[in-house]
C-alpha cells in the first residue's frame, strides 16, 4: 500500500473554462453555460451527451425548456436536442465504437423506467431512430435503476437496480428478436457499479454493490461468479482501467482505492477522503472527492451535494506514483473525456477543460527532480517510469539513462553505470562511454558494453577491434569463441577487422575460422601460409574455391606453394588449366562445364622447379593441343637446355629427338625468329637447319655449311635449292674460288651447272676464279671451249636469219614498187566468201581477194578493209601499237634487265621496239589530199603483201 502523502504533485494539465464561440459581430469570450437541471451525461463519437431533469425554479429559461430531452454538444459548441422521454432522463451510455446511445428514463409517473436504444446515424422525423424500447424492471418488482453499462460488441447490456438486482441482456441489444433478457444477480444491497471486461474470447462482468464486489464469467454457461471482496463502494465510484493496468476493475472507497482482477483482488492505494466520482483516462485515475472542510454525505447518494460544497479533483498516475493534477471545483456533476481532453461539468452549467501538457513540458516541470539525480537513485527510476508511461521519445529516454549512468559512475558503481549506458546505445555516441572505461580495471564493463553494441549491429570496425582486444587481454577464449561463432544468421561485426585483430594477437585458429566461414579467402591463405605454415591445407583450400578465385590465388601464392609442395601444386595447376571443378563439387549431368585457366600465365611460378615445369608443360601440350604459344616456346627452351647440359649420350640423343619433334610439330610458324634464336643459343644444329629450310633461307643454309667447311653439303644445297634461288651457284663458285686448298672437283661441278643453266657470263666466271691461286686454266678449259662453241653456233644462226630478213625486205620493196608503178589485174572468178562465181557488182582488193557486193556488205566491218585479211592485219596493228606503248616502260625494262640471264638480248629487244629512238612529232599534214590517200593505200598493200608472204 502506498502512502498518499509520499506522492509528489505536478501540474501536468492546463485548466481553462470553455467559452462561447464568437458571434457574427465578433462578440464572444463569455463562459459557455449549459441548460440547468442536467443530472446525467456521457461522451463519445465526437459529442458530449446530456440528459436533463427539471425540478422547478431556475427562472424563465428553465420554464421554457421541456423535460425528458437528450442534448448533444459537439466541438463547435452548437447545442442540439431531441425529446427522448416525457418526464425525465435518468441514465445515459454512449458507446465509443458505435453510434449507438442507450438511455434510461421515465414517460409516466411512478417507478416504471424504460430502456431505449438510439441509432444516431439514422433519423426518424429529424430525431435519432429508436431501434428498441423495453421496460427496465427485474421480474415484476418495480425498482429504481441505479447503473447501466453496455459491451462494445453490442451483444451484452447490464442494468443494475437499487434492490440489488442485475438484469443481463444477451444478443443484439438493438433488436428485441435477437436478444434475451434475464436476471443475472439478486442481492440485498443496491448495485452501485457495473463494467464489462473482455480478454481474448473471455467476457467478465464486474458487479459492485455498497457491500461487496463480484465478477461473473459470461463466456461460460450458467455464468459462474466469484465474490472478490466484502467491501463495496458508492454510486459512480467504480471504473475499468485500460490495458496499461491490465483492464482491472477500480473501486474507490473512503480510505483506499482497490484494483480487482476477475479472479482476485489486486493492489490498493491509500487515497483518503469521501469519493464521489471515479473515472479512468489514458493511464490516469481521476478521482473526485469531497473537500475535507465540508460535511460528509451519504455513501449511496454521495452526488447530491449542496451548491456551496467544494470538491477536489485529483488525477493520479498509479504506475509512476505521482499526482499529475489536483484542483478544487464547485459541485462537480461529472467528468467527461472527449477530443483528447477532460471536461469537468459543474452544477452551475459551466464546463472546464483540462488539457494534458506535452511530454517536454512535463519534463521541464520535473527539473527539480533532475537536480537531485546525483544524490537520489530512486528519482532516476521515477523519471524513467514517468517518461515511459507518457511515451517519451527515445532521445529523451536516452538522455535520462545517460545522466543516470553518469550519476552511478561518479559514485563508483561502474557495473550499474554500464547497464544504464547500454540502454543509451543507438542514441548516445559510443565514444562517450568507451573513454570512461578504458582503464584496465574496468575492462569487464567495457567488454559488456561493446558486446551489446555488436548485438544491436551498431558497431564499427574500431569497436570490433577494441572488443577483440578486450577478449585477448582477458585471455577469455570461451567468450571469444562465443562472439565469433554464435552469429550464424547475421554478422554483427566487421569480419575483416576481426580477422586482423585475431591474427595480430596470435589467435590464428580463430582468425582462420572466421576467414573460412565468411569466405575471406585472401586472409585465410595469408594466415595459413605466412603464420601457420600449413601449405597442404592452403593448397586444399584453393582447390575448393570457385574458378576465378582459385586462379587469382594460385597466381599470388603459387611460388610459395611450389617451393614447399611442388608435386601437389603442379597437379592442381594441371587441373586448373584443363577442366577445373572445385574439389567440393561432384561432377554430374547438372554441373556446368569446367573452366580453363591460361597455362602460360603460370609459367613464372616454376622459376626454380624445372622438373615440375617440364611435366606441367608436357601435360598441357598432350591434353590441350591449342595451348598458348608461350607454353610451346618454354617447353622448347627447356628441352634445349636439358639437351645442352646432358652428358649421357643415350639420354642426350633422346632429348635431341624430343626437341626436334617439338620443332617439327608446326607450332613455331608464327614465332620463327624466336625458335631460331633458341636453337642458335644452344647450338642445336639440326634445329637451326630445319628452321632455315622452313623459312626458305637457303643462303643461310649454305652459309652454315660454308662456315663448317662442308663442301659436299654446299654442293647438295645448290642442287636442292638452286632452281628456287639461282644465285646459290654463283655464291658457291665465289666460295670455292676463295679457298686456297684444292677444290677443283667442286669448282668443276659448279661450272658444269652454271654452263647448263647459263647462269653467269663467261667473263664473270673468269674474273671470279682469278682470285684462286690453285685454279689453273685447265679447270675452266672445257667450260670456255663449250661456251665459245655455243656462241659461234649462235652467231651463224643469227647471220642466216639476218640474210633471210634482208632478202625478204628486198622482195617486199619490189612488190611495193610494182603496186605503185604497174596496174593490178584482178583475175578472181569466185567470191572469197561464198565461193560462188563472181557477178557484178563486185568488190576487189589489192591483196587479190574479190567479193560479191552483197557478201562484202554483209561480212565487212569497214568499207576500206578486206574482210579476209582484216584479222591478221589487226594483229599486226596491235603489235605495232603495243611496241609504241612500251617505248616509255622504263621500270619494266629495268626489271627485265635485272632478272634476265641474258641482259644483251633484253636490250636488243627494246632496240627493236624503238624504245631508244628519238621521237619526231608531225604537227602539219602533207600538202594535197591525194598524197595522203596514196600513202594510206601503200600501207594497206604492204600489210596485205606481208600476209601473203607469210
Amino acid at each position: 500500500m502506498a502512502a498518499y502523502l509520499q506522492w509528489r504533485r505536478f501540474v501536468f494539465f492546463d485548466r481553462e473554462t470553455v467559452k462561447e464561440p464568437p458571434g457574427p459581430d465578433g462578440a464572444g469570450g463569455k463562459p459557455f453555460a449549459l441548460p440547468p437541471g442536467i443530472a446525467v451525461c456521457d461522451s463519445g463519437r465526437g459529442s458530449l451527451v446530456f440528459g436533463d431533469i427539471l425540478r422547478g425554479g431556475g427562472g424563465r429559461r428553465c420554464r421554457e425548456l421541456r423535460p425528458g430531452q437528450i442534448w448533444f454538444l459537439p466541438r463547435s459548441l452548437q447545442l442540439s436536442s431531441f425529446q427522448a422521454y416525457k418526464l425525465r432522463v435518468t441514465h445515459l451510455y454512449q458507446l465509443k465504437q458505435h453510434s449507438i446511445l442507450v438511455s434510461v428514463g421515465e414517460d409516466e409517473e411512478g417507478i416504471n423506467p424504460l430502456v431505449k436504444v438510439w441509432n444516431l446515424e439514422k433519423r426518424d422525423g429529424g430525431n435519432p431512430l429508436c431501434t428498441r424500447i423495453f421496460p427496465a424492471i427485474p421480474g415484476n418488482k418495480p425498482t429504481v435503476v441505479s447503473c447501466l453499462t453496455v459491451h462494445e460488441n453490442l451483444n451484452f447490456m447490464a442494468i443494475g437496480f437499487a434492490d440489488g438486482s442485475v438484469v443481463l441482456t444477451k444478443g443484439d441489444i438493438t433488436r428485441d428478436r435477437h436478444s434475451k433478457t434475464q436476471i443475472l444477480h439478486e442481492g440485498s444491497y443496491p448495485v452501485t457499479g457495473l463494467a464489462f471486461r473482455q480478454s481474448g474470447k473471455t467476457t467478465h462482468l464486474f458487479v459492485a454493490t455498497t457491500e461487496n464486489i463480484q465478477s461473473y464469467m459470461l463466456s461460460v454457461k450458467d455464468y459462474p461468479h466469484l465474490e472478490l471482496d466484502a467491501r463495496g463502494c458508492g454510486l459512480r465510484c467504480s471504473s475499468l482501467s485500460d490495458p496499461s493496468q491490465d483492464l482491472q476493475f477500480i473501486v474507490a472507497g473512503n480510505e483506499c482505492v482497490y484494483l480487482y482482477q476477475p479472479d482476485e483482488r489486486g493492489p490498493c492505494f491509500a487515497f483518503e477522503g469521501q469519493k464521489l466520482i471515479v473515472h479512468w483516462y489514458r493511464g490516469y485515475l481521476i478521482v473526485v472527492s469531497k473537500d475535507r472542510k465540508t460535511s460528509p454525505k451519504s455513501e449511496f447518494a454521495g452526488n447530491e451535494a449542496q451548491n456551496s460544497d467544494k470538491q477536489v479533483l485529483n488525477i493520479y498516475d498509479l504506475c509512476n506514483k505521482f499526482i499529475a493534477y489536483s484542483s478544487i471545483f464547485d459541485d462537480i456533476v461529472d467528468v467527461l473525456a472527449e477530443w483528447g481532453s477532460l471536461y469537468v461539468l459543474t452544477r452551475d452549467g459551466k464546463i472546464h477543460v483540462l488539457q494534458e501538457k506535452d511530454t517536454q513540458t512535463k519534463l521541464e516541470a520535473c527539473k527539480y527532480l533532475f537536480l537531485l539525480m546525483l544524490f537520489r537513485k530512486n528519482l532516476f527510476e521515477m523519471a524513467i517510469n514517468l517518461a515511459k508511461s507518457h511515451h517519451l521519445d527515445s532521445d529523451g529516454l536516452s538522455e535520462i539513462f545517460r545522466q543516470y549512468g553518469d550519476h552511478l559512475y561518479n559514485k563508483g558503481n561502474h557495473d550499474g553505470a554500464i547497464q544504464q549506458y547500454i540502454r543509451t546505445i543507438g542514441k548516445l555516441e559510443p565514444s562517450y562511454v568507451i573513454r570512461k572505461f578504458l582503464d584496465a580495471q574496468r575492462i569487464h564493463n567495457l567488454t559488456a558494453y561493446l558486446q551489446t553494441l555488436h548485438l544491436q549491429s551498431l558497431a564499427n570496425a574500431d569497436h570490433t577491434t577494441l572488443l577483440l582486444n578486450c577478449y585477448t587481454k582477458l585471455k577469455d577464449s570461451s567468450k571469444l569463441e562465443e562472439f565469433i561463432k554464435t552469429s550464424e544468421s547475421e554478422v554483427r561485426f566487421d569480419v575483416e577487422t576481426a580477422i586482423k585483430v585475431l591474427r595480430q594477437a596470435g589467435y590464428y585458429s580463430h582468425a582462420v575460422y572466421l576467414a573460412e566461414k565468411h569466405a575471406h579467402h585472401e586472409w585465410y591463405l595469408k594466415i595459413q601460409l605466412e603464420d601457420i605454415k600449413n601449405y597442404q591445407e592452403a593448397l586444399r583450400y584453393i582447390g575448393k574455391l570457385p574458378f576465378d578465385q582459385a586462379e587469382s590465388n594460385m597466381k599470388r601464392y603459387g611460388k610459395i606453394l611450389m617451393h614447399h609442395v611442388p608435386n601437389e601444386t603442379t597437379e592442381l595447376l594441371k587441373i586448373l588449366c584443363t577442366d577445373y571443378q572445385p574439389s567440393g563439387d561432384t561432377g554430374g549431368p547438372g554441373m556446368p562445364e569446367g573452366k580453363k585457366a591460361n597455362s602460360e600465365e603460370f609459367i613464372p611460378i616454376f622459376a626454380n622447379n624445372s622438373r615440375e615445369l617440364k611435366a606441367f608443360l608436357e601435360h598441357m601440350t598432350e591434353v590441350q593441343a591449342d595451348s598458348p604459344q608461350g607454353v610451346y616456346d618454354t617447353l622448347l627452351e627447356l628441352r634445349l637446355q636439358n639437351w645442352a647440359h646432358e652428358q649421357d649420350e643415350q639420354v642426350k640423343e633422346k632429348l635431341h629427338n624430343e626437341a626436334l619433334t617439338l620443332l617439327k610439330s608446326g607450332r613455331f610458324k608464327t614465332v620463327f625468329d624466336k625458335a631460331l634464336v633458341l636453337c642458335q643459343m644452344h647450338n642445336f644444329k639440326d634445329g637451326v637447319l630445319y628452321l632455315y629450310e622452313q623459312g626458305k633461307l637457303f643462303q643461310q643454309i649454305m652459309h652454315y655449311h660454308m662456315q663448317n667447311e662442308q663442301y659436299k653439303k654446299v654442293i647438295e644445297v645448290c642442287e636442292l635449292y638452286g632452281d628456287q634461288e639461282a644465285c646459290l651457284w654463283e655464291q658457291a663458285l665465289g666460295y670455292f674460288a676463295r679457298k686456297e686448298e684444292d677444290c677443283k672437283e667442286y669448282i668443276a661441278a659448279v661450272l658444269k651447272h652454271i654452263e647448263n643453266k647459263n647462269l653467269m657470263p663467261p667473263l664473270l666466271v673468269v674474273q671470279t676464279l682469278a682470285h684462286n691461286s690453285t685454279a689453273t686454266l685447265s679447270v675452266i678449259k672445257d667450260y670456255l671451249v663449250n661456251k665459245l662453241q655455243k656462241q659461234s653456233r649462235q652467231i651463224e644462226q643469227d647471220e642466216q636469219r639476218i640474210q633471210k630478213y634482208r632478202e625478204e625486205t628486198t622482195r617486199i620493196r619490189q612488190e611495193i614498187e610494182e603496186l605503185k608503178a604497174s596496174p593490178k589485174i584482178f583475175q578472181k572468178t569466185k567470191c572469197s566468201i561464198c565461193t560462188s562465181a563472181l557477178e557484178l557488182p563486185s568488190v576487189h582488193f589489192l591483196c587479190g581477194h574479190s567479193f560479191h557486193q552483197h557478201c562484202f556488205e554483209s561480212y565487212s566491218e569497214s568499207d576500206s578493209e578486206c574482210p579476209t585479211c582484216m584479222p591478221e592485219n589487226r594483229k599486226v596493228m596491235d603489235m605495232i601499237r603495243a611496241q609504241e606503248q612500251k617505248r616509255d616502260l622504263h621500270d619494266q625494262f629495268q626489271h627485265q634487265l635485272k632478272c634476265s640471264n641474258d641482259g644483251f638480248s633484253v636490250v636488243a629487244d627494246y632496240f627493236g621496239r624503238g624504245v631508244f629512238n628519238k621521237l619526231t612529232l608531225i604537227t602539219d599534214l602533207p600538202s594535197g589530199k591525194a598524197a595522203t590517200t596514196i600513202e594510206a593505200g601503200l600501207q594497206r598493200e604492204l600489210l596485205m603483201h606481208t600476209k601473203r608472204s607469210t
Side-chain angles (χ1 to χ4, degrees):
M1 181 180 293
Y4 167 73
L5 293 178
Q6 294 180 351
W7 287 30
R8 295 194 173 274
R9 294 175 179 267
F10 300 97
V11 182
F12 285 171
F13 288 82
D14 293 324
R15 172 178 173 178
E16 293 182 2
T17 301
V18 177
K19 297 182 179 181
E20 293 181 354
D25 56 354
K30 297 181 180 180
F32 180 82
L34 290 169
I38 292 178
V40 294
C41 56
D42 203 352
S43 63
R45 309 298 292 180
S47 296
L48 304 181
V49 187
F50 309 105
D52 56 358
I53 301 177
L54 298 179
R55 298 185 179 181
R60 179 180 176 183
R61 181 181 179 185
C62 181
R63 289 192 298 272
E64 291 177 354
L65 298 176
R66 298 179 63 185
Q69 292 190 10
I70 295 178
W71 297 78
F72 294 94
L73 181 65
R75 199 164 191 174
S76 62
L77 303 182
Q78 300 296 325
L79 269 172
S80 62
S81 65
F82 72 95
Q83 190 73 34
Y85 296 91
K86 296 180 180 179
L87 292 182
R88 64 183 63 87
V89 180
T90 59
H91 296 82
L92 292 174
Y93 193 94
Q94 173 66 58
L95 277 79
K96 303 301 185 288
Q97 300 177 11
H98 303 277
S99 296
I100 299 296
L101 175 66
V102 180
S103 63
V104 179
E106 298 175 3
D107 282 339
E108 58 186 16
E109 295 293 343
I111 303 176
N112 188 20
L114 291 176
V115 178
K116 296 185 179 182
V117 180
W118 308 89
N119 189 333
L120 303 180
E121 292 181 348
K122 297 181 179 181
R123 293 290 169 177
D124 181 14
N127 297 330
L129 176 63
C130 183
T131 62
R132 184 180 182 187
I133 302 176
F134 64 93
I137 297 177
N140 296 321
K141 299 180 294 182
T143 182
V144 177
V145 175
S146 59
C147 54
L148 166 71
T149 187
V150 182
H151 199 291
E152 286 293 336
N153 63 10
L154 300 179
N155 288 325
F156 293 101
M157 178 169 60
I159 304 174
F161 297 90
D163 66 351
S165 302
V166 176
V167 174
L168 177 67
T169 300
K170 184 177 181 182
D172 189 353
I173 65 169
T174 63
R175 299 181 182 180
D176 292 326
R177 295 181 180 180
H178 298 85
S179 63
K180 180 180 179 181
T181 302
Q182 67 182 84
I183 299 176
L184 178 69
H185 172 80
E186 292 182 333
S188 303
Y189 307 105
V191 178
T192 57
L194 297 170
F196 288 108
R197 181 183 189 273
Q198 186 71 40
S199 178
K201 296 182 179 181
T202 304
T203 305
H204 288 88
L205 175 64
F206 290 102
V207 178
T209 67
T210 56
E211 298 298 331
N212 58 27
I213 307 296
Q214 299 185 39
S215 71
Y216 286 82
M217 184 178 291
L218 304 182
S219 54
V220 179
K221 190 177 181 180
D222 298 333
Y223 307 140
H225 70 282
L226 177 67
E227 184 173 344
L228 301 177
D229 205 341
R231 59 172 63 86
C233 65
L235 276 174
R236 302 197 297 173
C237 290
S238 63
S239 183
L240 188 71
S241 69
D242 59 19
S244 66
Q245 282 292 334
D246 199 19
L247 298 173
Q248 297 185 88
F249 188 56
I250 301 172
V251 175
N254 289 336
E255 296 180 355
C256 297
V257 173
Y258 301 92
L259 276 71
Y260 296 93
Q261 293 285 352
D263 54 353
E264 62 180 354
R265 192 181 80 178
C268 64
F269 300 90
F271 301 147
E272 296 181 358
Q274 183 181 356
K275 313 301 187 296
L276 303 177
I277 301 173
V278 173
H279 287 295
W280 185 267
Y281 169 74
R282 291 188 176 181
Y284 292 112
L285 175 63
I286 301 169
V287 177
V288 177
S289 58
K290 182 176 174 54
D291 191 1
R292 296 181 182 180
K293 296 179 182 179
T294 60
S295 58
K297 302 179 181 180
S298 66
E299 183 177 15
F300 183 70
N303 59 330
E304 299 293 335
Q306 301 296 326
N307 292 338
S308 60
D309 288 347
K310 298 290 184 179
Q311 297 170 357
V312 180
L313 184 144
N314 289 318
I315 301 177
Y316 298 99
D317 188 329
L318 300 183
C319 180
N320 299 305
K321 297 181 175 58
F322 66 85
I323 301 174
Y325 183 78
S326 180
S327 182
I328 297 177
F329 292 86
D330 292 331
D331 202 359
I332 297 174
V333 176
D334 207 342
V335 180
L336 306 177
E338 191 65 26
W339 308 308
S341 302
L342 290 174
Y343 292 87
V344 182
L345 277 65
T346 55
R347 191 69 59 185
D348 57 4
K350 294 181 179 180
I351 303 177
H352 304 273
V353 59
L354 300 180
Q355 180 69 42
E356 186 178 7
K357 297 179 180 180
D358 59 79
T359 304
Q360 188 62 35
T361 305
K362 294 178 188 177
L363 292 178
E364 290 294 332
C366 296
K367 279 186 177 179
Y368 77 95
L369 284 178
F370 292 106
L371 295 177
L372 301 177
M373 283 192 300
L374 298 175
F375 310 101
R376 300 181 63 184
K377 175 181 177 181
N378 60 334
L379 294 183
F380 280 103
E381 296 175 350
M382 178 180 178
I384 293 170
N385 293 332
L386 171 65
K388 287 183 177 180
S389 65
H390 288 81
H391 308 290
L392 181 65
D393 59 15
S394 56
D395 293 333
L397 280 172
S398 176
E399 179 61 20
I400 298 175
F401 294 143
R402 182 193 66 78
Q403 295 190 34
Y404 193 10
D406 292 344
H407 167 69
L408 295 175
Y409 181 85
N410 293 331
K411 289 177 63 177
N413 185 2
H414 299 131
D415 294 340
I418 203 65
Q419 294 303 318
Q420 298 304 319
Y421 287 135
I422 287 174
R423 300 170 78 177
T424 67
I425 290 176
K427 298 296 180 181
L428 182 63
E429 176 62 35
S431 59
Y432 177 86
V433 179
I434 292 172
R435 283 196 298 267
K436 292 178 176 289
F437 293 90
L438 287 177
D439 194 309
Q441 296 178 354
R442 302 167 189 168
I443 193 171
H444 292 86
N445 303 126
L446 179 59
T447 303
Y449 179 82
L450 292 172
Q451 283 177 340
T452 308
L453 198 65
H454 282 81
L455 287 175
Q456 297 187 17
S457 301
L458 296 174
N460 57 28
D462 294 332
H463 300 148
T464 302
T465 302
L466 188 58
L467 177 59
L468 293 175
N469 284 329
C470 290
Y471 284 143
T472 54
K473 288 183 179 180
L474 292 172
K475 300 188 182 303
D476 193 346
S477 298
S478 59
K479 282 286 186 182
L480 181 60
E481 290 185 4
E482 180 182 357
F483 175 73
I484 66 176
K485 294 183 179 181
T486 52
S487 49
E488 295 290 339
S489 59
E490 181 182 0
V491 180
R492 297 186 177 91
F493 56 88
D494 186 80
V495 176
E496 186 171 358
T497 301
I499 294 173
K500 291 179 182 178
V501 175
L502 293 171
R503 183 191 183 198
Q504 186 177 4
Y507 286 80
Y508 301 129
S509 60
H510 297 79
V512 164
Y513 170 82
L514 275 181
E516 183 175 11
K517 177 182 175 183
H518 298 285
H520 285 260
H521 309 309
E522 294 182 7
W523 282 108
Y524 181 91
L525 295 173
K526 188 178 293 186
I527 297 172
Q528 288 284 14
L529 296 174
E530 298 178 8
D531 301 319
I532 304 178
K533 310 293 184 183
N534 191 344
Y535 305 104
Q536 291 281 4
E537 180 61 27
L539 195 63
R540 180 198 62 81
Y541 185 82
I542 293 176
K544 297 193 303 181
L545 297 179
F547 172 77
D548 294 335
Q549 296 172 357
E551 181 184 23
S552 62
N553 282 292
M554 281 303 296
K555 291 177 181 178
R556 180 173 300 176
Y557 302 109
K559 289 185 178 180
I560 299 176
L561 294 170
M562 183 62 66
H563 178 71
H564 293 89
V565 281
N567 295 330
E568 294 82 353
T569 305
T570 303
E571 290 302 318
L572 179 58
L573 286 175
K574 289 180 182 179
I575 298 174
L576 189 63
C577 296
T578 52
D579 188 13
Y580 178 76
Q581 291 283 358
S583 58
D585 298 341
T586 57
M591 292 298 297
E593 184 179 353
K595 296 183 179 180
K596 300 178 183 179
N598 187 349
S599 52
E600 184 178 1
E601 297 177 355
F602 295 99
I603 292 176
I605 293 175
F606 298 88
N608 300 315
N609 300 79
S610 58
R611 181 174 60 85
E612 286 76 13
L613 175 59
K614 182 180 179 182
F616 172 71
L617 296 176
E618 289 178 346
H619 173 78
M620 293 307 303
T621 56
E622 291 174 2
V623 301
Q624 189 174 333
D626 59 343
S627 294
Q629 185 60 42
V631 172
Y632 287 92
D633 296 344
T634 308
L635 180 58
L636 176 61
E637 183 178 3
L638 196 60
R639 287 184 175 180
L640 292 175
Q641 286 179 356
N642 294 339
W643 172 82
H645 294 89
E646 183 61 44
Q647 301 297 327
D648 191 334
E649 291 299 329
Q650 293 182 352
V651 178
K652 193 177 184 69
E653 180 64 22
K654 180 181 178 182
L655 295 174
H656 174 278
N657 295 333
E658 290 178 352
L660 193 58
T661 302
L662 183 60
L663 275 176
K664 294 181 179 180
S665 64
R667 295 293 304 184
F668 299 93
K669 293 180 180 179
T670 58
V671 289
F672 173 83
D673 295 339
K674 186 175 183 180
L676 183 58
V677 170
L678 289 174
C679 291
Q680 289 173 343
M681 286 174 56
H682 296 89
N683 196 23
F684 189 57
K685 170 185 170 182
D686 292 345
V688 171
L689 293 176
Y690 172 77
L691 292 173
Y692 281 160
E693 182 180 359
Q694 293 299 309
K696 299 186 181 301
L697 302 177
F698 306 129
Q699 295 186 33
Q700 280 77 359
I701 297 176
M702 191 170 66
H703 290 164
Y704 180 84
H705 293 307
M706 288 178 180
Q707 291 175 358
N708 293 284
E709 297 185 349
Q710 297 174 338
Y711 302 147
K712 292 183 178 181
K713 292 291 184 181
V714 172
I715 299 299
E716 290 178 1
V717 170
C718 292
E719 292 175 348
L720 289 173
Y721 312 115
D723 294 339
Q724 302 179 43
E725 197 165 347
C727 62
L728 293 178
W729 291 103
E730 299 176 13
Q731 295 178 10
L733 182 61
Y735 169 71
F736 290 120
R738 289 190 298 270
K739 290 294 181 180
E740 294 300 330
E741 57 188 271
D742 189 6
C743 298
K744 295 180 181 180
E745 179 184 354
Y746 305 109
I747 293 175
V750 173
L751 287 175
K752 183 178 179 181
H753 190 85
I754 290 175
E755 178 185 355
N756 294 334
K757 297 295 183 179
N758 195 20
L759 299 178
M760 294 175 65
L763 182 59
L764 184 58
V765 173
V766 174
Q767 290 176 351
T768 302
L769 293 176
H771 299 287
N772 191 326
S773 59
T774 61
T776 60
L777 186 60
S778 60
V779 177
I780 61 172
K781 176 182 177 181
D782 295 337
Y783 167 75
L784 292 175
V785 170
N786 293 333
K787 198 66 176 174
L788 291 174
Q789 290 176 352
K790 286 183 179 180
Q791 289 181 356
S792 296
R793 288 193 295 270
Q794 184 66 37
I795 291 170
E796 291 177 0
Q797 293 176 359
D798 291 341
E799 288 178 350
Q800 292 175 1
R801 191 177 295 110
I802 291 170
Q803 183 63 31
K804 180 181 178 182
Y805 288 158
R806 285 176 180 176
E807 294 175 355
E808 184 70 20
T809 301
T810 301
R811 184 181 60 78
I812 292 174
R813 286 176 179 176
Q814 290 177 356
E815 289 183 4
I816 293 173
E817 290 298 329
E818 290 178 0
L819 289 174
K820 289 180 179 180
S822 302
K824 178 68 174 176
I825 300 174
F826 300 103
Q827 299 178 346
K828 283 278 188 179
T829 59
K830 292 183 179 181
C831 178
S832 299
I833 294 178
C834 65
T835 66
S836 298
L838 282 175
E839 295 177 359
L840 294 177
S842 60
V843 179
H844 304 276
F845 284 89
L846 293 176
C847 62
H849 295 106
S850 300
F851 307 93
H852 293 116
Q853 184 175 2
H854 62 273
C855 291
F856 174 76
E857 291 175 353
S858 300
Y859 289 94
S860 176
E861 296 180 5
S862 174
D863 293 342
S864 60
E865 291 187 72
C866 173
T868 304
C869 298
M870 186 175 61
E872 293 297 330
N873 292 341
R874 284 189 176 180
K875 290 182 181 179
V876 175
M877 295 303 295
D878 290 341
M879 292 173 62
I880 294 174
R881 281 193 293 269
Q883 289 179 357
E884 292 176 353
Q885 292 175 358
K886 291 182 178 178
R887 289 180 180 180
D888 296 328
L889 301 180
H890 302 295
D891 294 338
Q892 185 177 357
F893 168 73
Q894 294 291 340
H895 176 71
Q896 291 183 4
L897 185 63
K898 182 178 180 180
C899 297
S900 176
N901 295 328
D902 188 0
F904 182 79
S905 60
V906 176
V907 175
D909 180 59
Y910 273 80
F911 262 112
R913 297 180 189 178
V915 174
F916 302 103
N917 293 344
K918 184 177 180 181
L919 297 178
T920 302
L921 298 177
I922 301 175
T923 58
D924 296 331
L925 292 174
S927 60
K929 182 177 180 182
T932 305
T933 306
I934 295 173
E935 185 67 24
L938 289 175
Q939 291 180 2
R940 184 165 58 251
E941 292 174 1
L942 179 60
L943 288 173
M944 289 187 287
H945 178 76
T946 302
K947 174 180 180 299
R948 279 201 309 270
S949 62
T950 57

